Every structure is written in C-alpha cells, then in structure tokens.
Amino acid sequence: MDINTLIEIARRQRASDIHITAARNPVFRIDGTLIETDFALNMEEKKNLLYSMMNQAQTEKFDSGRDVDMAYSTPSGDRQRVNIYRQQEFMTAAIRIINTKTPTFDELKLPETLRQLTAQPRGLVLITGPTGSGKSTTLAAMIDHINKTRACHILTIEDPVEYVYTQDKSFIHQRDVGVDIDSFSSALRSAMREDPDVILVGEMRDYETVSAAITAAETGHLVLSTLHTTGAAATIDRIIDVFPPHNQQQIRTQLASTLKGVITQTLLPRAAGAGRVAAFEIMLGSDAILNLIREVKGHQINSTIQMSAKQGMVLLDTYLANLVRSGTVSMEAAKERANDVSEFMSAVTRV
C-alpha cells in the first residue's frame, strides 16, 4: 500500500486524521473516535510511506533530528497537513485530512454573527478552541466569504498552508511559514509593507506574533487568527499573560480598541447518525465588554455575554444546552464539553 491509497481510503471513510505509529496498524479518527484499521504494515513499510511524502529538504531536516511540519498533496490534488516526528526513536506521523473544497457558511451552519464579523473593515477576530475543533475550517469559510463579497487584498500566514483559495472579488496571497517566510512574526512585520486589507494568522503562538497581530489590527487591518483556548474570558487572559507585567495595561488598552470578537468552538458527535456538530461561544467587542477588558474586570465577562443575547452573544454552556434540548447531541457529550457544568445543567432546564 502507498500513502496516496491510504489517504484515499481515509477520505472515503470520512476520517479527519490518520496516525501512523510503531506498534499499531494505521489509525483513523472518524467523528472524533480513533479506529485502528486492518492494514498490517511492518516498520519498513511505514517508514517508506512517510519518507515518500517528503522532498529532499524535508528529508534532510527530519534526518537531522527535527520534526517536519508540511502540506502534502496527492496526485488528485487533495491536500493534507502532516507532522512527522519521532517517539521512542520510531518514525511517527499525524496526517490531518483537509477538505478539497473550501466549505461555506451555510454548509458549516456557522452562526450569522461570524458572517457579520467578516464585514468589519478593521480589528481583531479570534477563533479559539482545542486542537481538532474545526478552527481552521471556520477561518477558511470566513476568508472565502470575504473573497466572494469584498474587493480586498487578503494575506494569509500559515504553517503550513491548508486550504488553497480560488481568487474571486479579492486577490489572495498565501505565505507558508518555513517555506516563504521564517516565522509568523516576521511575516506580520513584512505584511505592513504589502498593502493587505485582511490578514489571516494561522496561530498566535508567542509574544512576538501576538504583539504584531494586535499592532496590525490597530493600524487599520482586519486580522483573523486562532488560539488554543476555551472560552472568551480565558482567551483574553491568555493574551494578556503573554506580555510582561509592565506591558499588560498597554495591551489591555490596545485590545479594547481593536477586538471585534472572540469565537470559541468545539465539535460533538451527533446524538443520532454519523457526523459531528459544532457548538460555539460568541463574545463581541461591545462597549461593555471592551470596558471590562480595559478595567481588568475579566471575571465579569461571562455574565455580560449572558446578558447580551440580543447582540448575538452566547455562552458555550448555553449553546450546548440548546443542542441538548433540540436532541442534536446527547447530555453526556455536551456535559463533557461544558465550561461550567452547574451552569450548563441550569441552562438545560431553563425555560
């Protein structure tokens, strides 16, 4: 079996990920569950599969002892995000399956609030959630919506480039960290000289990237990015904590002038049938929210979100409760994802 055949089978079975590891047959993640396949491969065959995906530079990087993050395209044009690494000296890989077609808002059933955020001329919009929660897919839908509705210069900075967009009303440049540019922060510094209207930053990983992204939003660009946080209040805390104490009040002030929204999402298995459904927490940059950020009152953010439903805001626990009441997901699955179990249970029974 070659790697392209394995990927094709995974796609047919609607897998989101493939794991190739030493002691097991290849493992697929389907609807969030890991399922071992029947494809018995020895160590040499697994090694050949993984080396077949890498070019010479990537092979040399791996052989020198470093992990390899890369995009891989099959002969049919299907793209995958790949991380090849060692564990216990064995060659191992995680392969994320990327949809061939960029999904739309309607296909993903994204909240209307996200569509409204794409119309913002400037500011910072963050999509947050744990690994595998669909952040990249949501961002891709947002970028493609802008592409189809606005005449913009869109610049994406990704590691690696995942969705490849077909230019429509906008023109799009996609930069691959490690291939086209050294780092997210250096790409953001260069972006200030490249006349973008919209900047997608694949992930705000460190102090330099967070600082540069906020500055870009402050200087008149719409910046979309991701963080591995759960909940709007936790996201604000994470951003502030990246900075040294003597800079934190300045960053609060900058956030209060640039933040347009924080969207937290998680994926849950459907109660009936195959597939998964997304649950969201939505915090918008209202005057009330921005004042709380500025005045170091993050502990009041959740209650303000709860009281701002008419503005399109919602807590994750409330969204989960609505999914349970509609029969879309089970009580057990929703309870596992809740930020505050008691608040979630109260929301389930609330009339």
Side-chain angles (χ1 to χ4, degrees):
M1 173 180 288
D2 62 23
I3 191 65
N4 297 321
T5 301
L6 184 64
I7 290 170
E8 182 183 346
I9 293 169
R11 284 183 172 274
R12 285 203 303 264
Q13 295 186 18
R14 299 180 301 100
S16 61
D17 301 86
I18 304 169
H19 292 274
I20 298 176
T21 188
R24 307 281 288 273
N25 295 342
V27 174
F28 293 168
R29 185 181 292 277
I30 301 174
D31 293 339
T33 301
L34 292 173
I35 300 171
E36 186 169 358
T37 68
D38 296 328
F39 310 129
L41 302 173
N42 62 38
M43 290 302 302
E44 191 64 24
E45 289 170 326
K46 292 175 184 177
K47 187 175 178 180
N48 290 338
L49 285 183
L50 300 185
Y51 271 114
S52 72
M53 289 190 285
M54 293 189 283
N55 59 29
Q56 183 176 344
Q58 291 160 345
T59 298
E60 291 173 357
K61 181 178 179 180
F62 182 78
D63 288 343
S64 72
R66 290 180 290 169
D67 294 353
V68 174
D69 286 308
M70 55 183 274
Y72 175 74
S73 295
T74 63
S76 62
D78 293 331
R79 290 175 62 80
Q80 285 67 226
R81 186 181 75 203
V82 182
N83 177 264
I84 300 177
Y85 60 103
R86 287 183 178 84
Q87 63 87 26
Q88 300 292 299
E89 299 184 358
F90 291 108
M91 196 173 186
T92 309
I95 303 171
R96 170 63 53 83
I97 304 294
I98 301 171
N99 290 332
T100 303
K101 175 181 174 293
T102 306
T104 67
F105 270 76
D106 293 338
E107 288 168 347
L108 295 177
K109 295 181 171 55
L110 296 178
E112 185 61 28
T113 310
L114 272 71
R115 197 190 307 263
Q116 295 167 8
L117 287 171
T118 64
Q120 293 285 344
R122 65 189 66 84
L124 179 66
V125 177
L126 299 174
I127 309 297
T128 77
T131 299
S133 60
K135 298 185 297 295
S136 297
T137 303
T138 295
L139 275 179
M142 295 176 77
I143 289 294
D144 198 52
H145 182 73
I146 295 171
N147 177 35
K148 291 175 179 175
T149 57
R150 296 169 56 186
C152 295
H153 176 198
I154 300 172
L155 179 66
T156 80
I157 306 164
E158 304 171 72
D159 182 19
V161 168
E162 295 188 26
Y163 291 91
V164 176
Y165 303 96
T166 301
Q167 301 190 28
D168 197 329
K169 287 189 175 181
S170 296
F171 70 97
I172 305 175
H173 291 142
Q174 296 185 253
R175 306 195 75 186
D176 194 329
V177 173
V179 178
D180 302 314
I181 193 74
D182 290 337
S183 66
F184 283 107
S185 55
S186 58
L188 277 164
R189 288 193 295 272
S190 295
M192 297 301 98
R193 300 186 293 274
E194 293 159 3
D195 189 35
D197 300 291
V198 178
I199 305 171
L200 182 150
V201 184
E203 185 180 344
M204 298 208 304
R205 293 178 176 173
D206 50 38
Y207 165 84
E208 290 80 9
T209 304
V210 173
S211 180
I214 293 173
T215 299
E218 201 173 30
T219 53
H221 307 85
L222 177 61
V223 179
L224 310 177
S225 191
T226 71
L227 280 170
H228 293 290
T229 50
T230 301
T235 299
I236 300 303
D237 289 343
R238 173 71 64 84
I239 292 173
I240 301 299
D241 288 345
V242 164
F243 292 84
H246 65 275
N247 283 347
Q248 290 184 356
Q249 189 53 48
Q250 175 190 341
I251 293 304
R252 287 184 181 279
T253 301
Q254 287 181 283
L255 273 179
S257 67
T258 60
L259 189 65
K260 299 301 180 183
V262 176
I263 314 299
T264 293
Q265 65 180 69
T266 186
L267 294 175
L268 300 88
R270 291 185 178 276
R276 292 187 288 176
V277 63
F280 298 91
E281 177 165 293
I282 301 173
M283 184 192 80
L284 301 177
S286 67
D287 290 342
I289 290 290
L290 298 180
N291 282 334
L292 293 177
I293 294 172
R294 190 182 294 110
E295 296 171 8
V296 200
K297 294 180 179 177
H299 60 282
Q300 297 180 20
I301 285 178
N302 282 354
S303 60
T304 304
I305 293 173
Q306 198 167 28
M307 293 185 294
S308 303
K310 290 183 179 178
Q311 298 179 43
M313 298 194 222
V314 63
L315 287 174
L316 178 63
D317 294 334
T318 303
Y319 202 104
L320 288 169
N322 292 337
L323 290 175
V324 170
R325 286 202 299 265
S326 68
T328 306
V329 303
S330 70
M331 175 73 79
E332 293 74 19
K335 195 173 180 180
E336 287 179 0
R337 305 299 201 285
N339 286 332
D340 184 326
V341 174
S342 61
E343 172 57 34
F344 162 71
M345 296 301 294
S346 176
V348 170
T349 57
R350 195 177 297 143
V351 178

